[in-house]
Amino acid sequence: ETGVTQSPTHLIKTRGQQVTLRCSSQSGHNTVSWYQQALGQGPQFIFQYYREEENGRGNFPPRFSGLQFPNYSSELNVNALELDDSALYLCASSSRDRGLSEQYFGPGTRLTVT
Amino acid sequence: DAKTTQPNSMESNEEEPVHLPCNHSTISGTDYIHWYRQLPSQGPEYVIHGLTSNVNNRMASLAIAEDRKSSTLILHRATLRDAAVYYCILRDNNQGGKLIFGQGTELSVKP
C-alpha cells in the first residue's frame, strides 16, 4: 500500500509569483484535504476535495485554489504569493467509505516566499 | 468549531506511562474526539479516536469522561520515538471530515 506523497519537498518563490503543489493520495482513498502549517503552529484547514469537487473550505482567500483528478491525486495552487504564505503545506487523504475516521498525511512541502 | 484545550508541554521518562489531557467543554453530541501526533519534520499521524466509550489500539488508549467534556490519551510505555506534538481534535461527521488543530502538547521523553 503506497502512502501519501507530495512534491516538491522544498520550494522558494518570490512575492507575487504563483505556485502549484502536488499530492498523490494513498491507494484506495478518494478524499484529499490540504492544510497550511506555519512555524510553531498547528495545521490550518484550507479545503477538501471529494470526487473532483471542492467539499469544504477553511478561512483562506480565493487565491488558494485546488484540483482533484480522476485518480484522486490533487493540486494546490496559490496565486499572488505573499510573505505570510511561507509555511509547510500538508495534504491528507482519507476514504469516505470508512466515514473519514482517519486521515493519512504526507510529509509536506516547505514553501518559502521571499 | 468546537475548541480543545491542552497543556503546551509535558515531560515523561522512558518506559513510563504518559497521560495527555484534553479539555473540550463545548463538545457537541456529534463530535468525535481524535488524536493525532506530529513527529519532528513529519506530517501528522493518526493515533486514535472515539465518541463515548474508551478505546484501545496498538498505539494508545483513549479515556473519555462520562460527560465527554474531557479526555485523556494514554501511552502505556513511552519510548524516545514517542516524542512529538500531540493534537486533540474534535471532528463533526457532518462537516466533511475537516480537522481543526489547536496548538497541541509537545511531549518530550527522557531516557
Side-chain angles (χ1 to χ4, degrees), chain A residues 35 37 41 48 100-101 103, chain B residues 34 36 38 91 96-97 103:
Chain A
Y35 295 82
Q37 186 173 26
Q41 304 293 318
Q48 183 181 87
L100 297 171
S101 58
Q103 293 196 12
Chain B
H34 286 244
Y36 282 74
Q38 188 170 20
R91 186 177 70 75
Q103 291 289 100

Side-chain angles (χ1 to χ4, degrees), chain B residues 9-78:
Chain B
S9 62
M10 290 184 65
E11 278 190 355
S12 171
N13 294 316
E14 197 175 11
E15 298 190 5
E16 289 186 356
V18 183
H19 290 235
L20 296 162
C22 180
N23 287 320
H24 29 79
S25 58
T26 59
I27 190 169
S28 73
T30 54
D31 284 334
Y32 282 75
I33 302 159
H34 286 244
W35 283 82
Y36 282 74
R37 71 179 186 181
Q38 188 170 20
L39 279 65
S41 302
Q42 294 188 26
E45 172 189 32
Y46 168 82
V47 177
I48 200 167
H49 79 283
L51 183 62
T52 56
S53 304
N54 294 343
V55 185
N56 300 296
N57 67 19
R58 64 175 179 80
M59 290 182 69
S61 295
L62 175 60
I64 301 172
E66 197 169 333
D67 63 5
R68 300 211 323 128
K69 294 187 175 183
S70 65
S71 61
T72 303
L73 179 70
I74 303 166
L75 307 180
H76 296 286
R77 285 185 65 201

Side-chain angles (χ1 to χ4, degrees), chain A residues 13-63:
Chain A
K13 288 286 191 177
T14 304
R15 190 171 46 184
Q17 286 186 315
Q18 177 266 341
V19 69
T20 298
L21 310 181
R22 294 177 175 82
C23 171
S24 291
S25 58
Q26 185 159 318
S27 175
H29 287 184
N30 54 18
T31 304
V32 174
S33 304
W34 285 92
Y35 295 82
Q36 179 195 66
Q37 186 173 26
L39 206 59
Q41 304 293 318
Q44 301 298 306
F45 175 75
I46 302 175
F47 44 55
Q48 183 181 87
Y49 277 82
Y50 170 64
R51 290 185 177 175
E52 302 178 52
E53 290 192 2
E54 188 177 293
N55 180 46
R57 188 178 184 95
N59 189 26
F60 281 81
R63 59 189 186 84

